[in-house]
C-alpha cells in the first residue's frame, strides 16, 4: 500500500474533474446536448486507443446491462451539465455527490442489501444539507436543483448496475460503452439545438474528454494504491477545488447557508464511507 502516491493521484483526479466542471460552466452558449456529445466523443480517443493497444475485445457478452448502465450514465451526465446553467458549480457538484445515498436505497430494494441504523443517520445529515441549501439559500434555483437531484438518482442507479456487472468486464470496456452511447445520444439530441462553437470553444469542448479520462484514470490509480476507506473521503476535495475555481473565475458567491449545506452533505457521505470501512475491517 502506497498511501503517499495514492493521495497524489486522488488530488490530481479531483483537479481534473474540477477543471472539467469549470469548463462546462464556462460553455454557457453551447447546449448541454452538444457538451455531452463532445465530452464523450473526445473520450473515445482514449478508450478506443487503450482497448486496441492492449488487444481487449470491445464487445461485451452482457450487452443489456452494459447498455442500461450507459443510458443511465449518459442521462445523468446530461442532467448534471444542464443543472450547471442554473446553479453555481460548487453547489451542483455537492448535490451530485449524494448519488451514493440513492445507490444505497436502490440496493435495499434491488439487491436485498441491509443498511445499518448509523448509515441512515449519516444519510439524514446529508439530506439536511440539501434542505439547508434549498430552504435557506435564496440563490438556489428550483429547476436546477431538480435537474441535479435527478442526475444523482441516475448516478446511484449506475452504481447498482456496475455492481451487477461485477468483474466480468474490463473497466475500460464499461467506460467505452458509456462513451459510445453518450456520443450517439448527445449527437442526436443536439441536432435541433446545434450552436456552432466559436474560437477557443472548440478547444475547451475537446479538452473535456481529456480531463474526464485522466480524472478517472488517477482516481483508479488512487484506489489501487491504498484502501478505499482512506481514499474515498479524499474524493470530495473536488468540491473544494470547484468552489475555489468558481469563486475565482466566475465571481460566484457562496453564502454561509450554502457552505453549511455543502459541508453537511460531504460530512454525511464521508462518515458513511468511514463507517462502511470499519464494518469491513471488523468482518475480516
Amino acid at each position: 500500500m502506497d498511501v503517499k502516491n495514492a493521495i497524489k493521484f486522488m488530488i490530481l483526479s479531483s483537479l481534473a474533474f474540477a477543471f472539467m466542471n469549470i469548463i462546462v460552466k464556462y460553455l454557457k452558449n453551447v447546449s448541454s446536448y452538444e457538451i455531452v456529445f463532445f465530452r464523450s466523443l473526445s473520450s473515445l480517443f482514449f478508450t478506443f486507443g487503450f482497448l486496441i493497444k492492449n488487444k481487449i475485445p470491445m464487445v461485451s457478452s452482457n450487452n443489456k446491462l452494459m447498455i442500461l448502465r450507459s443510458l443511465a450514465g449518459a442521462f445523468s451526465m446530461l442532467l448534471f451539465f444542464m443543472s450547471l446553467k442554473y446553479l453555481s458549480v460548487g453547489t451542483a457538484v455537492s448535490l451530485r455527490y449524494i448519488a451514493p445515498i440513492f445507490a444505497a436505497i436502490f440496493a435495499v430494494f434491488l439487491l436485498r442489501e441491509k443498511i445499518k441504523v448509523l448509515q441512515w443517520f449519516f444519510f439524514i445529515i446529508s439530506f439536511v444539507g440539501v434542505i439547508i441549501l434549498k430552504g435557506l439559500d435564496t440563490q438556489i434555483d428550483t429547476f436546477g436543483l431538480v435537474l441535479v437531484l435527478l442526475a444523482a438518482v441516475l448516478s446511484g442507479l449506475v452504481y447498482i448496475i456496475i455492481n451487477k456487472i461485477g468483474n466480468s468486464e474490463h473497466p475500460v470496456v464499461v467506460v467505452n460503452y458509456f462513451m459510445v452511447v453518450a456520443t450517439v445520444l448527445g449527437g442526436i439530441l443536439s441536432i435541433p439545438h446545434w450552436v456552432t462553437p466559436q474560437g477557443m470553444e472548440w478547444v475547451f469542448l475537446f479538452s473535456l474528454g481529456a480531463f474526464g479520462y485522466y480524472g478517472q484514470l488517477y482516481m483508479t490509480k488512487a484506489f489501487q494504491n491504498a484502501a478505499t476507506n482512506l481514499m474515498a473521503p479524499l474524493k470530495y476535495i473536488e468540491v473544494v477545488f470547484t468552489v475555489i475555481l468558481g469563486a475565482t473565475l466566475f465571481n460566484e458567491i457562496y453564502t454561509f447557508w450554502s457552505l453549511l449545506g455543502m459541508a453537511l452533505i460531504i460530512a454525511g457521505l464521508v462518515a458513511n464511507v468511514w463507517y462502511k470501512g470499519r464494518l469491513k475491517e471488523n468482518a475480516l
Side-chain angles (χ1 to χ4, degrees):
M1 187 164 66
D2 188 348
V3 177
K4 185 176 179 180
N5 266 331
I7 292 173
K8 179 183 72 175
F9 289 138
M10 189 56 81
I11 290 173
L12 288 172
S13 170
S14 299
L15 273 172
F17 283 128
F19 277 115
M20 186 180 75
N21 297 331
I22 290 297
I23 290 171
V24 173
K25 182 71 174 179
Y26 170 78
L27 295 167
K28 59 184 178 181
N29 296 321
V30 181
S31 76
S32 299
Y33 308 111
E34 278 182 73
I35 295 174
V36 168
F37 172 72
F38 282 106
R39 185 260 186 267
S40 306
L41 180 65
S42 52
S43 286
L44 287 176
F45 172 81
F46 298 98
T47 56
F48 271 124
F50 179 90
L51 294 174
I52 292 170
K53 178 183 177 182
N54 293 280
K55 298 180 180 179
I56 299 171
M58 297 183 189
V59 180
S60 168
S61 57
N62 199 356
N63 272 315
K64 287 184 179 179
L65 276 180
M66 294 283 278
I67 292 173
L68 183 61
R69 177 261 181 267
S70 301
L71 284 170
F75 277 108
S76 177
M77 185 199 305
L78 173 61
L79 290 168
F80 173 65
F81 288 170
M82 290 173 69
S83 74
L84 289 174
K85 307 283 187 183
Y86 302 93
L87 301 172
S88 63
V89 65
T91 300
V93 171
S94 300
L95 289 167
R96 184 193 60 181
Y97 265 126
I98 65 172
I101 299 177
F102 294 115
I105 295 171
F106 282 132
V108 171
F109 295 101
L110 300 178
L111 304 179
R112 303 299 180 191
E113 292 185 3
K114 293 183 178 180
I115 299 177
K116 302 290 185 181
V117 174
L118 198 54
Q119 285 181 274
W120 284 116
F121 173 71
F122 294 143
F123 291 161
I124 289 171
I125 290 175
S126 292
F127 271 121
V128 168
V130 176
I131 292 168
I132 287 175
L133 272 174
K134 178 52 190 165
L136 299 177
D137 187 349
T138 56
Q139 295 185 109
I140 301 295
D141 181 274
T142 301
F143 184 62
L145 176 66
V146 171
L147 288 173
V148 77
L149 288 179
L150 287 173
V153 169
L154 287 173
S155 188
L157 182 60
V158 167
Y159 295 158
I160 298 300
I161 299 171
I162 289 176
N163 182 279
K164 293 287 287 183
I165 294 171
N167 296 320
S168 62
E169 303 291 344
H170 192 285
V172 180
V173 174
V174 178
V175 174
N176 192 60
Y177 261 77
F178 171 32
M179 291 297 102
V180 170
V181 170
T183 299
V184 173
L185 180 70
I188 293 172
L189 293 177
S190 66
I191 292 172
H193 304 280
W194 185 266
V195 177
T196 302
Q198 302 296 319
M200 286 297 293
E201 287 179 343
W202 287 105
V203 177
F204 288 132
L205 281 166
F206 280 108
S207 72
L208 290 172
F211 281 120
Y213 175 81
Y214 283 107
Q216 192 70 43
L217 175 66
Y218 285 124
M219 182 175 68
T220 302
K221 285 179 176 288
F223 284 122
Q224 288 174 335
N225 280 272
T228 300
N229 62 324
L230 291 177
M231 289 300 103
L234 281 179
K235 193 178 185 319
Y236 297 105
I237 62 174
E238 177 191 341
V239 176
V240 178
F241 290 145
T242 305
V243 167
I244 292 172
L245 288 170
T248 304
L249 300 176
F250 302 121
N251 297 316
E252 291 182 342
I253 298 173
Y254 294 91
T255 66
F256 167 78
W257 295 114
S258 62
L259 292 174
L260 177 61
M262 285 188 276
L264 287 173
I265 290 170
I266 295 171
L269 295 170
V270 169
N272 181 57
V273 170
W274 169 82
Y275 182 64
K276 285 173 66 178
R278 290 293 299 272
L279 289 176
K280 288 182 180 178
E281 289 175 2
N282 293 334
L284 295 177

